[in-house]
Amino acid sequence: MHIMSLIDLLLLNVVILLLDKFDFSSGIIYNNDIAAVEEWLVRITLHHGLNIYTTEGTLLDSIREPILQWNLGIIMGKKDVSKLYPHVIDLKVAKCPCANDVALLAFILNTTFDGVYIGLSSSGFWKYDDTIWYNMTNNIYSQLEEEQTGLSVVDLVLTNHFLVILTSLGLFVSGDLRYPSTSVIRFSRADFCGFERVDYIKGKLWYNEKCFANRERFEVDYVTITFDRNKTLSEASSCFYSSEPFLEWLPCIPHILKLRSAPLSVIAFLVDQEHGVGVCLLHNQKKTLASVDILKSNQQNLQHKFPVFTFPSSFSIPLGMVFHPRSHFLYAYGNQVWLSMDGGNTFELIADFHGDVIRKSYHSFYTSDITFVSQSGKVYSTKAGLIRYREVGSVTDKIFTLYYDHLGFIHKLAPDYFEADGSLSSLGSSKGIFGKFPDMGFETALAPQYISLNEMIFYAYVPVTDPKESIYTKTFNNIHFGKIIYSRKTGTAYIRKIMQHGTPIGFLSSVIAEIIDPFGLEDVKESSCLSSSLSISKDTSFFYKLTLQDPDVQSSFQDSDIEKTVVIPGYSSFLILNIIDEWNALAIATMPKRVPFNVTFHKGSWLLFNFGQRNGRMWKIYSKHCNYWFQQYDDSLSLNVLKYIDLGKYHIFKVKVIPNVKGVRTLEVPLLKVIVGNPTLLEIKAEGSFDNTDSYLMEISVASKDLRQGSTSLAFIVWEASTECFVTTVVPILKSSCSYLRSMHHIPNKFIPLEDWIKGVHRDNQGFNLIKTLPINYRPPSNMGIAIPLTDNFYHADPSKPVPRNLFHKSKKTGKFKQCANVSTREECNCTNDQKFSYAVAFSDCREKVPRFKFPVTQYPISLEIYHKAGNIPVETPYLVTVTEVNMRGNWKLKHTTPGNIKKLKAYLEPILRTPVYNPKGLNLSIMGSELFHFRVSVVPGVTFCDLVEEFQIYIDEAPLPFPGHTLIAIAAAVMLGGLIFTVFMFQLRDIHPWKQCQKLMRRNKVNSPNNPVTPQAQK
């Protein structure tokens, strides 16, 4: 490896280390409420010259993840945990639906040890030492009314908001994990009448894993418990299900059980939230059934969604049923694996394991990987929605479980160690946790038959003497579909089709394979018979005799030629099974109707292939390397995105499938299969085409249908892709609902920067301050006057300060703190900066500053925009709105245009809503009052799933005196003027002259003034 490549890889490892060691989530999260939150995906790309290195990681919001906020019990040390190892008989894993890196690992103990011991990991069980172990025994025993022993975990499920633990002493459900009220998690026990410890030990929990981040009202978790026994007359059922908060458990008895006399056991019961149905897997000694019943108000209805599906009798040992996470792919497993893509209406066989049984399945929603583990320890792998599968190895551990983390890496968990799949090409390692990939071939000879220059049929030989029970070990089956046949010499062929048949005799199965590299032929040194001519004759009804026609040539049939195949282009091939003498051999024909009698084939016109197994099998079958690339046209990092489709809106997906095949032709059929989980919810149209490079492009348009809300999965399946491809199936989730990112905002006609809002000063060109700082504990006036506020809303609240305008009785009865309720100071209100600048009435206690306007406000434009991920759009028709003043104030009016279509809508909506409806386009507001006005604008229902509401505030200043100020001043002035006129009239009537009296008085005062000089003559 070059030095620069080493440097690049070192930088990559440094970035990974930074992601692993530092908590970046605290700096980027906005909310801090506890709720189920989708784990973030991070992709890092490093460039150096022409080299590009990419790695992916995750960011976990540990502040909001519900299970991480609890103390699960007494923390255990390494020594305490190691004491449990000898008593562990099994392991169970439960992972968080939205953050698969957060998971619980439970020890299932034998009868020699007692207790509930669970490990918690928030990093996907990559390191054993990072797991925190808890002793939860006391948490469980505290809920038992009487003293009991023999406590152990049997199964557990972690839903979006609850932890459900099935123990040997009963079923225990935690409180809502979103509301940690105590320091230690607490449980309540669910009672099932008539069931005891022996029943709980054999019980199982079933859960359809769905992520409910930003949960909708129609999204509900369900958990089912089944008991391995038939119900008695006194018991309601041997199967119960419940929806959160898991307080009421209902019997899951399909309608078919009530109609059939033969007892049927419930193997598994799952609730399909997409269709609102319960899917039940039933079995008795004669048959296995799948029943789909409609749920109404969370209870089973007597009506079937689909006709009951009956599996073939070969599916004799059903053990379970599971929905692939966040999808509509339903798998039933046991001695066979079946797949349903339509919610349980029909099933298709994927694999038949005959004597072996699949006991558990493991799933990754991110990569769509599915792993099945059999009773014998063999491990099989497939991709969600694919019909093909492969064997990937085996597990020799006696006690283990498997687990997929959030990025789809598989881990093997044992009681005392964890091991992760090390197949990371960027790190130069290819070691897997299941050992070397096994050869999927079987011990028999193959007979090749040319059907064209590029295609062959390989027939698998089965001796007629073999017992029926072992025939399946020498036949092709579904595991070989899409695989590669390798010759020990040279040559490969891609298996395109599997065929099962009863003729010709000796060949019960075959495959059609496309030749990638030509297969090596036998030469004269290996088989001297090739030096002679050859003729074919009938020997028996089963055998054909091959005869060498040139006895003078040193050529002969030898024992080493047994199980070699004579291939004659244009005719049947012959598998040699017995050597009669050096010139004659017995063989069976692959195509008896194409046997050439009475024809001599000269040297060089017939060929010899060796696909036998006498001296070690000369052929092998392995998985095909990835043959298709999947490309998305959006910038999403996730393979399984969530898209919201609002009422009347649509979304377009564009994808491309790029062939990566060498020597294999691309079929001229659509390479992509599109399957909708619930086709009645949305209107979906797909158009596909090939381009000049044989890449297949598809455009899928998804539009809303009606007012029905719900969610469905949409699967894109590259049906011919190899299971070794990283991406074969992409499952976007579509919600016919309102996106949590979609909101409506009022656009002020004058922009004020945030720094000015903080200072409280922003002046216009005339020096008028456009920001008003409200008085403490302010309440807007009412229609009864400024001094008589009647609203319950406080603004700029401070419980430690007096409440102004609180003299009148009606004012004293109103006014309630919200954010500041039950606190004594404003600091204790814990108002954030966002709340202080929020227009929402819910945060009015925190609001300190509002926009300020001069009286009067006329024709103020109410400009509204809808914000969403794709961009902002103005609020126009059909988005009609209603406008209210939250403090019930008057003295304002609205002006809008009403075209003909708007008039009809107004006439229809206003009697229903009992409030005026306005056209948002060109909507203007005029206000003739003073002080604070607080308006709420709401989009009318029926045009969107979103509850689009926006609030804005306007403070009117420098207003004239409000009523009755003007009236009182006018009356006072009139009284004073009238009194003055009346006084003058009375003076005139009485001949009283006040002015002359004043003049005389002034002259008298002037004469008597001491400042006037007095002359001696005057003194005399």
Side-chain angles (χ1 to χ4, degrees), residues 161-165 172-177 185-188 245-246:
H161 305 134
F162 291 86
L163 173 60
V164 182
I165 303 178
F172 296 87
V173 182
S174 73
D176 196 324
L177 299 176
I185 191 170
R186 292 185 178 180
F187 294 86
S188 61
F246 308 112

Side-chain angles (χ1 to χ4, degrees), residues 1-14 46 48 51 53 426-428:
M1 185 177 288
H2 297 293
I3 295 178
M4 289 309 299
S5 299
L6 291 172
I7 294 175
D8 292 339
L9 288 178
L10 180 62
L11 289 173
L12 187 62
N13 288 331
V14 170
L46 299 178
H48 182 268
N51 298 322
Y53 300 98
S426 61
L427 301 180

Side-chain angles (χ1 to χ4, degrees), residues 760-786:
V761 177
H762 181 83
R763 301 188 182 278
D764 60 9
N765 52 10
Q766 297 179 354
F768 182 76
N769 188 10
L770 299 179
I771 299 175
K772 172 68 176 181
T773 301
L774 297 174
I776 293 176
N777 293 331
Y778 171 78
R779 284 189 293 170
S782 68
N783 294 333
M784 297 183 68
I786 291 179

Side-chain angles (χ1 to χ4, degrees), residues 136-429:
M136 302 177 64
T137 307
N138 293 336
N139 304 36
I140 302 300
Y141 271 131
S142 63
Q143 300 301 315
L144 298 176
E145 297 178 356
E146 56 187 30
E147 190 172 337
Q148 301 182 47
T149 57
L151 176 64
S152 175
V153 175
V154 176
D155 204 349
L156 77 163
V157 165
L158 180 60
T159 70
N160 287 272
H161 305 134
F162 291 86
L163 173 60
V164 182
I165 303 178
L166 175 61
T167 72
S168 56
L169 299 181
L171 182 67
F172 296 87
V173 182
S174 73
D176 196 324
L177 299 176
R178 294 172 295 175
Y179 309 109
S181 56
T182 58
S183 58
V184 181
I185 191 170
R186 292 185 178 180
F187 294 86
S188 61
R189 187 173 187 267
D191 293 323
F192 299 98
C193 181
F195 293 92
E196 300 177 353
R197 187 178 188 277
V198 292
D199 303 311
Y200 287 115
I201 291 175
K202 298 179 182 179
K204 291 183 180 179
L205 296 179
W206 306 96
Y207 173 58
N208 184 4
E209 182 183 316
K210 300 276 188 180
C211 174
F212 292 156
N214 305 296
R215 179 181 173 182
E216 305 278 354
R217 60 174 180 80
F218 51 81
E219 294 177 326
V220 182
D221 269 325
Y222 291 84
V223 172
T224 302
I225 179 172
T226 57
F227 297 98
D228 188 15
R229 76 171 197 186
N230 292 325
K231 76 180 188 72
T232 64
L233 294 176
S234 62
E235 295 167 352
S237 176
S238 60
C239 168
F240 301 88
Y241 73 99
S242 180
S243 60
E244 56 181 298
F246 308 112
L247 299 177
E248 181 184 6
W249 293 83
L250 303 172
C252 41
I253 307 177
H255 183 50
I256 187 173
L257 285 182
K258 302 175 183 178
L259 300 179
R260 292 182 178 247
S261 57
L264 284 166
S265 300
V266 179
I267 304 298
F269 181 85
L270 294 169
V271 174
D272 182 0
Q273 293 99 328
E274 291 188 19
H275 291 91
V277 297
V279 186
C280 195
L281 183 64
L282 306 156
H283 175 70
N284 61 15
Q285 294 180 352
K286 295 182 179 180
K287 58 182 63 179
T288 303
L289 309 172
S291 174
V292 182
D293 297 324
I294 296 174
L295 296 180
K296 288 187 177 180
S297 302
N298 296 336
Q299 296 188 12
Q300 280 181 289
N301 193 271
L302 296 180
Q303 183 180 358
H304 288 308
K305 175 78 172 181
F306 308 116
V308 175
F309 181 85
T310 302
F311 293 93
S313 59
S314 57
F315 190 29
S316 57
I317 312 176
L319 291 184
M321 186 171 59
V322 60
F323 274 104
H324 185 71
R326 311 189 191 190
S327 78
H328 54 273
F329 299 124
L330 177 63
Y331 290 85
Y333 59 87
N335 66 312
Q336 296 177 342
V337 174
W338 292 77
L339 168 63
S340 174
M341 299 188 191
D342 53 12
N345 182 24
T346 59
F347 285 83
E348 186 173 359
L349 178 66
I350 293 181
D352 190 344
F353 302 98
H354 299 281
D356 208 355
V357 174
I358 298 298
R359 64 182 183 88
K360 188 64 178 175
S361 68
Y362 305 90
H363 302 254
S364 168
F365 86 94
Y366 182 70
T367 60
S368 295
D369 283 337
I370 302 174
T371 296
F372 297 102
V373 178
S374 71
Q375 198 73 37
S376 63
K378 290 185 177 180
V379 182
Y380 303 90
S381 176
T382 185
K383 292 280 190 174
L386 290 187
I387 304 301
R388 62 189 66 187
Y389 73 105
R390 60 177 172 144
E391 184 180 351
V392 294
S394 61
V395 179
T396 58
D397 298 68
K398 185 178 180 181
I399 302 170
F400 74 96
T401 189
L402 300 180
Y403 155 78
Y404 279 102
D405 65 17
H406 200 77
L407 284 180
F409 289 95
I410 192 168
H411 303 250
K412 181 176 68 176
L413 310 181
D416 56 342
Y417 76 96
F418 299 156
E419 184 180 0
D421 184 12
S423 56
L424 300 174
S425 58
S426 61
L427 301 180
S429 173

Side-chain angles (χ1 to χ4, degrees), residues 19 44 119 125 240 252 287 335 531 545 593 630 735 961:
L19 282 175
I44 299 173
F125 292 119
F240 301 88
C252 41
K287 58 182 63 179
N335 66 312
S531 301
K545 186 166 69 173
K593 294 183 178 181
F630 190 93
K735 284 189 179 181
L961 287 175

Side-chain angles (χ1 to χ4, degrees), residues 673-703:
K673 184 188 296 185
V674 180
I675 300 178
V676 186
N678 185 2
T680 64
L681 183 65
L682 297 166
E683 184 177 344
I684 298 177
K685 296 180 180 179
E687 294 183 359
S689 61
F690 285 92
D691 64 9
N692 295 331
T693 63
D694 288 335
S695 296
Y696 186 72
L697 294 87
M698 178 167 279
E699 183 175 294
I700 300 96
S701 174
V702 182

